[in-house]
């Protein structure tokens, strides 16, 4: 490989990116837009879930339960209605996400049997929010129930000491506040790298064909390997710069911690970019059309990175067959590395499995990419 | 000019599926010679030149450029050649100087030599003062000369020009050919393809190519002499179609065809066509305007050799 020719190719490619408005948008704005959108938009927490209540009893007990809901930061009790029909209409009209129905015999049954129930109607159109609302509602009711139980034990003379329910003190590590932004934003870097890398690299060869410059290029002594390396090196550099930008933004704007080593961050990002750029390049060679190439490239890079990498959907909650497939998705190793670099203090030595897996991918993709292009018009 | 063959083409064949684009083509070009492949579009000119540059692999036959086999030593061949294709494929989003630097880098020209060659190319192409303009903003003639500059930065021994003047104004074309002749005097072997007759006249030797076959080869003068076996007449008449039909029946007429708004008619030597023909045509209700003896052009030669009417018009670009 001749370095002078490779450098000439890199310089030309970089100049073209600098002059192309489309490429500049991809390089400069896409990362920021992505991280802002996902940082703000893809919060998986639910706060202030709007609630309607139908208190058919209106007793002291039922009011106490509703107060528990009111006191919770997760719920806003917006309105009390007086019939079931009004409650259903409110859910249909999307005025509330949760409806709570306290039956007319609530406190009577509580007193008689010590067992009673309330009905919670959850708007399930958004499955994620519905699950959260349901979970929070159960928590509120459980707290209320245990208070009632404690009162009951106390009233019947049982020792407080003996009956205090086992209390579980949760402590979550690495994401103490259990904030979804800490879970989402590190993975966003992977999404930005996949999107940017695929969009830019998929154009490289196709653009030469479409603009008619390929014929001239083939007629020079530059080799296929020099073309590939020369074309992709600028995008690797741009990718690393964008990754840094994303990390700075994640920490500075969203307050996501960055506890791991920056060496590990750049190593993992470089390996991931090699895979993404190699794939984009091969697609560009195969399709010879910029539009087709960018679409295929997004399909094979962005889609698995957003769906199967554990970026937003935790891998251990996936069904077993899908979970097995994720081991083949190169992005899962990068996302896993990113999360650990940001949230735990992982350095390179802590990320051996991820680094090994990504190195294997980078070598395999790199090998095939060097063989993809032949200097011929046929 | 010396007698060492710089390019040797031997029974070169290129097939695309069932279609034979280049059929058993053979020729030799001496160092410093300007050799032209003349023929209509689709006749196999570009395919031939692309095989010689190592852009396409021959189906059979062989060719060497500066002694290197184009099929097996394509990468070495590319060190010694300059190639300019029909679309002067420069990067429109780079400036003139950036294009030169890029190709200089690819050809391994460096340091002082590169600076000198870039300065030469800027001067040659008349781009002094416009080096920083984007190539896409340059006019056709400038772009073309810049492309030539890019193709010869490394002082190649052989220059391939594939329809390199297509779509450029006549003045720029003439300037371009002056540059070509200058390089030829410096010993550069030049192979051009064209469908412009006036350009073909600039070549030292020509091969007329039609449907993948070489139909005639030689100097422009010799080709014109051998192709037209008789005297050539220009006949202006009306109606033109009726005139053509009638004149073909006239005694002594060997062939006739429409050229622009007139007929070109070949009659066997030794007759008196200037008096005979007007009388014959008048008898067939054809009004004759000007009629005169002319010297044959390459186009006449081509039409006579191939029986086709395919050359010379811009519509074939």
């Amino acid at each position: 490989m001749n370095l002078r020719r490779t450098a000439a190719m890199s310089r030309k490619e970089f100049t073209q990116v600098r002059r192309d408005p489309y490429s500049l948008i991809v390089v400069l704005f896409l990362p920021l837009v992505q991280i802002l959108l996902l940082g703000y938009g893809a919060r998986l927490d639910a706060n202030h879930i709007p609630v309607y209540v139908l208190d058919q009893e209106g007793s002291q007990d039922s009011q106490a339960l509703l107060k528990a809901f009111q006191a919770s930061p997760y719920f806003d009790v917006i309105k009390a209605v007086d019939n079931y029909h009004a409650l259903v209409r409110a859910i249909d009209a999307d005025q509330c996400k949760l409806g709570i129905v306290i039956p007319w015999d609530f406190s009577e049954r509580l007193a008689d049997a010590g067992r009673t129930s309330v009905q919670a109607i959850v708007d399930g159109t958004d499955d994620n929010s519905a699950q959260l609302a349901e979970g929070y509602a159960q928590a509120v009711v459980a707290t209320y129930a245990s208070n009632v139980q404690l009162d009951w034990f106390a009233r019947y003379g049982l020792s407080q000491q003996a009956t205090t329910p086992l209390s579980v003190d949760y402590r979550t590590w690495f994401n103490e506040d259990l904030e979804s932004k800490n879970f989402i934003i590190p993975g966003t870097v992977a999404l930005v790298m996949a999107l940017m890398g695929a969009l830019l690299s998929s154009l490289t060869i196709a653009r030469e064909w479409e603009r008619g410059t390929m014929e001239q290029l083939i007629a020079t002594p530059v080799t296929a390997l020099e073309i590939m390396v020369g074309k992709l090196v600028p995008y690797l550099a741009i990718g690393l710069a964008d990754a840094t930008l994303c990390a700075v933004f994640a920490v500075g704007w969203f307050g996501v911690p960055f506890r791991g080593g920056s060496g590990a961050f750049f190593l993992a990002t470089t390996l991931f970019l090699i895979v993404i750029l190699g794939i984009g390049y091969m697609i560009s060679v195969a399709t010879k059309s910029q539009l087709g190439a960018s679409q295929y490239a997004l399909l094979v890079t962005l889609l698995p990175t957003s769906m199967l990498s554990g970026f937003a959907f935790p891998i251990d909650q996936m069904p077993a067959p899908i979970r097995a497939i994720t081991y083949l998705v190169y992005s899962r190793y990068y996302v896993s590395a990113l999360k650990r670099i940001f949230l735990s203090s992982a350095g390179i030595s802590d990320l051996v499995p991820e680094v090994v897996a990504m190195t294997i991918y980078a070598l395999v993709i790199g090998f095939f990419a060097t063989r993809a292009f032949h200097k011929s018009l046929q | 000019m010396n007698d060492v063959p710089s390019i040797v083409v031997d029974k070169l064949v290129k097939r695309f599926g069932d279609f034979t684009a280049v059929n058993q083509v053979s020729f030799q070009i001496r160092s410093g010679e300007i050799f032209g492949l003349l023929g209509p579009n689709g006749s196999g000119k570009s395919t031939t030149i692309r095989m010689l540059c190592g852009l396409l692999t021959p189906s059979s036959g062989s060719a060497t450029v500066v002694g290197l086999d184009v099929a097996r030593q394509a990468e070495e061949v590319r060190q010694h050649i300059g190639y300019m294709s029909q679309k002067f494929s420069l990067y429109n989003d780079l400036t003139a100087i950036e294009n030169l630097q890029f190709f200089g880098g690819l050809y391994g020209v460096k340091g002082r030599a590169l600076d000198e060659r870039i300065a030469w190319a800027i001067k040659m192409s008349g781009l002094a003062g416009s080096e920083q303009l984007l190539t896409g903003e340059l006019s056709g003639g400038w772009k073309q000369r810049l492309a030539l500059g890019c193709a010869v930065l490394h002082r190649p021994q052989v220059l391939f020009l594939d329809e390199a003047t297509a779509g450029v104004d006549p003045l720029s074309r003439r300037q371009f050919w002056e540059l070509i002749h200058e390089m030829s005097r410096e010993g550069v072997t030049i192979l051009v393809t064209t469908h412009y007759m006036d350009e073909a006249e600039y070549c030292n030797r020509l091969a007329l190519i039609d449907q993948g076959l070489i139909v005639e080869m030689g100097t422009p003068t010799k080709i014109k002499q051998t192709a037209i076996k008789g005297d050539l007449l220009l006949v202006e008449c009306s109606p033109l179609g009726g005139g053509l039909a009638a004149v073909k029946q006239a005694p002594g007429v060997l062939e006739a065809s429409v050229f622009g708004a007139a007929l070109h008619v070949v009659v066997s030597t030794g007759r008196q066509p200037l008096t005979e023909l007007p009388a014959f045509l008048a008898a067939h209700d054809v009004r004759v305007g000007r009629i005169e003896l002319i010297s044959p052009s390459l186009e006449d030669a081509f039409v006579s050799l191939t029986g086709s009417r395919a050359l010379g018009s811009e519509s074939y670009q």
Side-chain angles (χ1 to χ4, degrees):
Chain A
M1 202 173 84
N2 180 308
L3 278 182
R4 190 174 296 274
R5 291 198 294 250
T6 313
M9 187 59 88
S10 287
R11 198 176 319 125
K12 177 221 111 182
E13 202 71 17
F14 189 76
T15 310
Q16 287 188 309
V17 170
R18 200 155 52 80
R19 298 236 167 93
D20 176 28
Y22 167 83
S23 299
L24 278 183
I25 287 171
V26 171
V27 168
L28 296 176
F29 293 108
L30 207 68
L32 290 179
V33 169
Q34 280 274 320
I35 208 158
L36 277 174
L37 276 181
L38 290 162
Y40 281 117
R43 293 282 176 94
L44 299 180
D45 326 275
N47 288 324
H48 303 290
I49 298 167
V51 179
Y52 271 40
V53 294
L54 169 58
D55 185 355
Q56 290 174 330
E57 188 181 58
S59 68
Q60 210 178 347
D61 287 327
S62 70
Q63 286 301 315
L65 176 61
L66 292 179
K67 277 207 181 71
F69 271 96
Q70 189 71 314
S72 158
Y74 303 120
F75 298 110
D76 282 343
V77 177
I78 295 176
K79 200 172 177 184
V81 292
D82 54 12
N83 64 74
Y84 196 80
H85 190 64
L87 187 71
V88 172
R89 262 211 317 267
I91 288 179
D92 284 347
D94 204 25
Q95 288 161 330
C96 67
K97 291 283 177 200
L98 179 69
I100 294 174
V101 183
I102 300 179
W104 58 272
D105 58 351
F106 178 73
S107 47
E108 191 180 329
R109 285 181 63 174
L110 193 66
D112 284 358
R115 295 172 62 83
T116 188
S117 63
V118 295
Q119 186 185 17
I121 303 161
V122 183
D123 177 359
T125 42
D126 176 352
D127 181 49
N128 184 49
S129 303
Q131 280 183 22
L132 286 171
E134 193 185 322
Y136 293 146
Q138 277 178 3
V140 170
V141 172
T143 311
Y144 173 81
S146 77
N147 286 338
V148 169
Q149 196 175 30
L150 286 177
D151 283 352
W152 191 81
F153 281 139
R155 213 177 303 154
Y156 288 85
L158 285 150
S159 147
Q160 184 87 4
Q161 200 69 29
T163 59
T164 304
L166 182 64
S167 106
V168 180
D169 192 7
Y170 289 102
R171 174 142 184 249
T172 314
W173 277 22
F174 307 134
N175 189 4
E176 296 85 347
D177 311 329
L178 267 180
E179 283 197 68
S180 64
K181 74 172 165 51
N182 287 358
F183 174 77
I184 294 273
I185 290 175
T188 307
V189 180
L191 216 60
V192 171
M193 292 298 103
L195 189 62
M196 186 224 64
L199 279 177
L200 293 180
S201 63
S202 62
L203 303 184
T204 52
I205 294 292
R207 186 168 50 206
E208 303 270 356
W209 284 117
E210 284 188 357
R211 296 192 185 168
T213 47
M214 185 53 95
E215 190 164 339
Q216 199 70 46
L217 202 58
I218 295 178
T220 73
V222 70
T223 65
L225 181 66
E226 288 157 6
I227 292 178
M228 183 189 91
V229 174
K231 277 180 171 290
L232 296 186
V233 160
Y235 298 118
L236 182 62
I238 290 170
L240 289 173
D242 273 349
T244 311
L245 184 74
C246 287
V248 167
F249 214 71
V251 175
W253 186 266
F254 285 109
V256 177
F258 189 97
R259 300 184 174 118
S262 51
F265 178 69
F266 286 115
L267 176 70
T269 304
T270 303
L271 290 171
F272 184 67
L273 278 170
I274 289 174
V275 175
I276 293 285
L277 296 176
I279 290 174
Y281 173 83
M282 284 192 278
I283 290 173
S284 196
V285 169
T287 60
K288 292 189 179 184
S289 112
Q290 295 190 72
L291 186 64
S294 58
Q295 287 180 352
Y296 283 119
L298 287 182
L299 203 66
V300 295
T301 58
L302 194 62
L303 204 62
T305 303
S306 55
M307 305 304 287
L308 296 173
S309 68
F311 145 71
F313 312 108
I315 289 172
D316 52 17
Q317 289 172 25
M318 293 174 184
I322 305 274
R323 205 158 58 222
I325 291 173
T326 65
Y327 284 98
L328 296 173
V329 177
Y330 49 88
S331 332
R332 80 161 275 166
Y333 303 102
Y334 184 49
V335 168
S336 153
L338 281 173
K339 284 184 176 170
R340 295 183 55 197
I341 291 166
F342 271 93
L343 302 180
S344 76
S345 51
I348 294 172
S349 55
D350 304 305
L351 298 170
V352 170
E354 283 89 349
V355 169
V356 167
M358 284 200 288
T359 306
I360 292 170
Y361 266 104
L363 288 174
V364 170
I365 298 282
F367 173 78
F368 285 111
T370 56
R371 300 189 158 236
F373 179 61
H374 297 283
K375 281 182 68 186
S376 168
L377 292 179
Q378 266 148 329
Chain B
M1 225 185 273
N2 59 48
D3 284 340
V4 182
S6 177
I7 299 174
V8 178
V9 177
D10 187 26
K11 300 197 185 79
L12 205 57
V13 175
K14 181 67 194 180
R15 282 183 221 95
F16 297 106
D18 291 337
F19 174 67
T20 306
V22 173
N23 195 355
Q24 303 273 341
V25 162
S26 302
F27 56 84
Q28 296 198 355
I29 309 177
R30 295 184 303 275
S31 288
E33 192 176 15
I34 303 178
F35 187 87
L37 286 176
L38 177 66
N41 274 9
S43 58
K45 305 182 307 269
S46 294
T47 307
T48 305
I49 228 168
R50 283 172 174 167
M51 283 191 280
L52 296 181
C53 295
L55 302 179
L56 289 174
T57 316
S59 303
S60 70
S62 68
T64 60
V65 172
V66 294
L68 299 163
D69 187 294
V70 296
R72 283 179 290 114
Q73 297 166 287
E75 219 52 82
E76 287 93 324
V77 167
R78 290 186 191 118
Q79 308 269 1
H80 301 282
I81 63 164
Y83 170 66
M84 204 178 136
S85 66
Q86 330 188 7
K87 291 158 271 172
F88 351 120
S89 28
L90 297 168
Y91 295 92
N92 281 334
D93 47 355
L94 298 188
T95 65
I97 202 109
E98 284 166 346
N99 265 301
L100 288 164
Q101 282 165 344
F102 174 62
F103 283 101
L106 292 193
Y107 283 118
V109 189
K110 51 197 164 196
R112 179 103 65 83
L114 181 60
D115 295 340
E116 275 173 25
R117 288 302 279 169
I118 288 179
W120 168 84
I122 292 286
K123 187 163 169 281
M124 173 274 280
S125 51
L127 279 169
S130 311
E131 297 97 326
Q132 301 302 334
L133 283 183
L134 289 184
T135 306
E137 296 166 1
L138 300 177
S139 75
W142 271 354
K143 253 193 219 177
Q144 177 205 33
R145 288 191 295 274
L146 179 62
L148 177 67
C150 289
V152 299
L153 273 180
H154 56 307
R155 298 181 181 276
Q157 292 162 260
V158 177
L159 178 58
F160 292 101
L161 302 171
D162 187 9
E163 302 269 355
T165 57
V168 175
D169 64 273
L171 180 65
S172 296
R173 262 162 66 190
R174 197 151 61 238
Q175 288 175 337
F176 185 78
W177 273 97
E178 279 165 22
L179 294 165
I180 299 302
H181 276 281
E182 202 175 301
M183 277 187 248
S184 153
R185 279 194 293 278
E186 288 166 9
V188 179
T189 306
I190 294 156
L191 174 57
V192 302
T193 71
T194 186
H195 60 256
Y196 290 125
M197 291 302 149
D198 58 331
E199 285 194 346
E201 301 270 5
Y202 292 125
C203 298
N204 300 129
R205 276 198 306 141
L206 282 177
L208 299 193
I209 184 164
D210 186 42
Q211 293 174 33
L213 288 161
I214 291 186
V215 291
E216 187 63 84
M217 192 154 44
T219 64
T221 319
K222 193 194 134 212
I223 286 180
K224 284 180 280 190
Q225 281 167 356
T226 52
I228 307 295
K229 297 175 176 63
D231 293 330
L232 184 66
L233 291 175
L234 175 114
V235 181
E236 281 180 2
C237 61
S238 76
L240 203 58
L244 180 67
V247 82
K248 281 183 171 170
Q249 311 300 323
V253 169
L254 301 174
E255 47 187 285
S257 48
V258 177
F259 267 66
L263 300 177
H264 281 198
V265 181
V266 182
V267 290
S268 38
T269 36
R271 299 193 71 98
Q272 301 290 322
L274 292 182
T275 52
E276 282 176 15
L277 267 188
F280 180 84
L281 288 173
H284 287 77
D285 295 330
V286 176
R287 200 155 42 78
V288 175
R290 193 157 60 101
I291 177 162
E292 61 183 319
L293 219 70
I294 56 168
S295 48
S297 69
L298 277 170
E299 187 155 9
D300 293 306
F302 193 89
V303 169
S304 174
L305 286 164
T306 64
S308 76
R309 190 62 201 87
L311 270 166
S313 70
E314 285 286 344
S315 62
Y316 282 90
Q317 178 41 41

